[in-house]
Amino acid sequence: MKNSQIPGNLVVDDHQQLIQSAGEGEDALFSLAIEMFDYLDCILDLQTEIFKTIESSKQSSMTNAGQCRLKPLIPCIQDAMVLYDYVTKILFKLHSKLSPDLLNGHRDRFLKIFKGLKKFYEKTMSLQYFKNLIEIHHLPKYPPNFLVQSELQNYQPSRVTVLNDSIDQNDTISEHLVSLDDTTSTNGSSSPVPDPGVMALYVEKDRQVKELEYQVDGLKLELERLGRQARTQLQQLQFEIAELKQELLLKMQQLAEKDEIIQQLKGHECKIPLEFLERLEKAELHSKSMDDKFLKLKELYQRLSTEHVSLLRKNATAEKELAETKKAFNNQTELGVQVEVRLR
């Protein structure tokens, strides 16, 4: 079992114990930091989806339906704070052993998570529901500078304090509300009444999944069309480039012949024959005609090159949109699973 020495509640007495459990090797710490980053990303994605459902349903945090959605965020807040503390100390440890250039990716992910957690905690503590349940010691204003090892000595871990009395009182109220619902169900109908908010969320999830599937299919078709168009344009450009090369070689040969004739005429002391002048004029006219044709071919080549680059950019944009759509589809699928579990 991976990371079996880390308990389920993630509480480790000393960060040295955490580092020893992962192993003293840089590779082990490097991988452990990535796993914690992934865990924090999942927490941030989950809280984003939860707040989206709250905003879309326009429910207050003081209603039963709103609190039902918000309550799972409490363990998320606790785990995120602990993981943030662990990954901060692990990164300081890695920077003491590895070159900073090798950890650019880790620092970038940490900065992104740091900003996301600050917004998450600020948004959470702005709700009255959480003010009665937990107390968060906010993150520092600026992220730690891992390039300066002395900052580890001044680092103060952030904490989350759970107000047990408030939670017990809230649970008592919830149990009382459930008891009233059970009494009503006994006196009336025996079948449970689904929560309209949950049902609306389920319907909205199905609609979004179908919409995303339609968008994915459309993007696939568009990507295939752009790919075919890009291949056709590329073949056409290659053919035109070959023609331009041939034209260029021919022009260079003609220019060489013209230079040779001019040199011969300059070295000739006698009067230039009339037919020689005619040949020279024809050569100049032909050279001018070839210059004009070369300029036109050059402009055509530049235009085709620009169109080719534009098509490649469109292709890259379509692939990026397809990846984002797939990610959104996966997120909606996970949300659907959570909703189905909640309905059960």
Side-chain angles (χ1 to χ4, degrees):
M1 183 177 178
K2 199 171 185 180
N3 302 322
S4 59
Q5 298 183 11
I6 301 177
N9 59 3
L10 303 178
V11 177
V12 179
D13 296 334
D14 186 6
H15 76 279
Q16 291 295 337
Q17 180 183 350
L18 174 67
I19 293 175
Q20 292 175 0
S21 66
E24 288 294 337
E26 291 83 356
D27 293 340
L29 291 176
F30 195 93
S31 300
L32 182 59
I34 293 176
E35 293 175 9
M36 290 187 175
F37 283 144
D38 294 340
Y39 192 173
L40 287 167
D41 284 337
C42 292
I43 291 176
L44 291 176
D45 291 341
L46 175 60
Q47 64 89 20
T48 299
E49 295 299 328
I50 290 176
F51 279 118
K52 280 183 181 179
T53 61
I54 295 291
E55 294 172 359
S56 62
S57 60
K58 298 180 180 180
Q59 292 178 342
S60 170
S61 64
M62 301 308 294
T63 62
N64 292 333
Q67 293 177 8
C68 180
R69 288 185 171 89
L70 292 174
K71 194 168 185 179
L73 289 179
I74 296 177
C76 292
I77 294 171
Q78 294 174 297
D79 288 353
M81 191 66 79
V82 175
L83 289 170
Y84 169 81
D85 179 49
Y86 290 165
V87 79
T88 300
K89 295 172 181 176
I90 290 174
L91 285 182
F92 272 115
K93 184 70 173 179
L94 285 173
H95 279 80
S96 68
K97 293 186 175 183
L98 299 176
S99 170
D101 295 338
L102 298 176
L103 299 170
N104 286 334
H106 277 45
R107 290 197 299 273
D108 292 341
R109 289 194 69 181
F110 180 88
L111 180 59
K112 179 181 177 182
I113 290 173
F114 177 82
K115 294 178 180 178
L117 287 177
K118 281 185 70 71
K119 292 181 180 179
F120 175 31
Y121 293 152
E122 290 172 359
K123 191 170 187 178
T124 298
M125 295 313 297
S126 66
L127 300 177
Q128 186 62 38
Y129 171 69
F130 287 107
K131 291 180 180 179
N132 299 330
L133 295 179
I134 58 175
E135 181 180 354
I136 299 176
H137 298 269
H138 290 290
L139 298 177
K141 185 177 181 180
Y142 301 104
N145 186 358
F146 298 107
L147 302 179
V148 181
Q149 286 294 317
S150 60
E151 286 204 8
L152 178 59
Q153 300 175 358
N154 301 326
Y155 171 72
Q156 296 294 332
S158 301
R159 299 187 304 276
V160 177
T161 303
V162 179
L163 308 178
N164 293 324
D165 295 338
S166 298
I167 293 180
D168 294 339
Q169 182 181 1
N170 186 70
D171 291 340
T172 303
I173 295 174
S174 299
E175 292 175 0
H176 181 63
L177 292 174
V178 170
S179 178
L180 289 176
D181 292 340
D182 293 341
T183 304
T184 305
S185 177
T186 303
N187 296 332
S189 176
S190 59
S191 59
V193 179
D195 186 353
V198 175
M199 294 302 296
L201 181 62
Y202 186 78
V203 173
E204 178 66 15
K205 184 268 296 183
D206 286 343
R207 185 191 68 79
Q208 291 179 357
V209 167
K210 291 180 181 178
E211 183 178 351
L212 287 172
E213 289 176 347
Y214 177 78
Q215 291 178 1
V216 168
D217 293 338
L219 286 173
K220 285 182 180 178
L221 294 176
E222 180 67 14
L223 185 60
E224 292 176 358
R225 185 188 67 81
L226 288 175
R228 291 194 298 269
Q229 186 176 0
R231 287 191 293 270
T232 302
Q233 291 288 341
L234 182 60
Q235 292 175 356
Q236 184 178 358
L237 284 173
Q238 291 174 345
F239 177 75
E240 292 177 356
I241 289 171
E243 288 186 342
L244 286 173
K245 287 182 178 179
Q246 293 179 356
E247 293 287 344
L248 181 61
L249 290 174
L250 180 60
K251 181 176 181 299
M252 292 176 64
Q253 292 176 357
Q254 292 173 349
L255 288 175
E257 292 176 358
K258 176 183 174 182
D259 290 338
E260 183 180 356
I261 293 173
I262 292 175
Q263 294 298 328
Q264 290 177 359
L265 289 175
K266 287 182 178 180
H268 204 283
E269 296 180 355
C270 64
K271 187 177 179 180
I272 301 176
L274 180 61
E275 61 177 1
F276 220 70
L277 291 175
E278 291 178 353
R279 287 180 59 189
L280 181 59
E281 291 177 355
K282 288 181 180 180
E284 290 178 348
L285 291 175
H286 184 69
S287 176
K288 183 178 180 181
S289 175
M290 292 300 297
D291 288 340
D292 295 337
K293 187 173 182 181
F294 178 76
L295 290 175
K296 291 180 180 179
L297 289 172
K298 184 178 179 181
E299 293 175 355
L300 177 61
Y301 173 73
Q302 292 176 347
R303 180 175 61 82
L304 291 173
S305 298
T306 303
E307 292 178 356
H308 177 59
V309 172
S310 177
L311 286 172
L312 292 177
R313 289 176 178 173
K314 289 180 179 179
N315 189 15
T317 302
E319 290 179 352
K320 183 178 179 181
E321 292 176 353
L322 178 59
E324 291 177 353
T325 304
K326 287 182 177 179
K327 182 178 179 181
F329 175 75
N330 292 333
N331 291 337
Q332 291 297 329
T333 303
E334 293 178 1
L335 181 60
V337 173
Q338 295 175 4
V339 171
E340 291 177 356
V341 172
R342 189 181 302 170
L343 286 174
R344 295 175 185 175

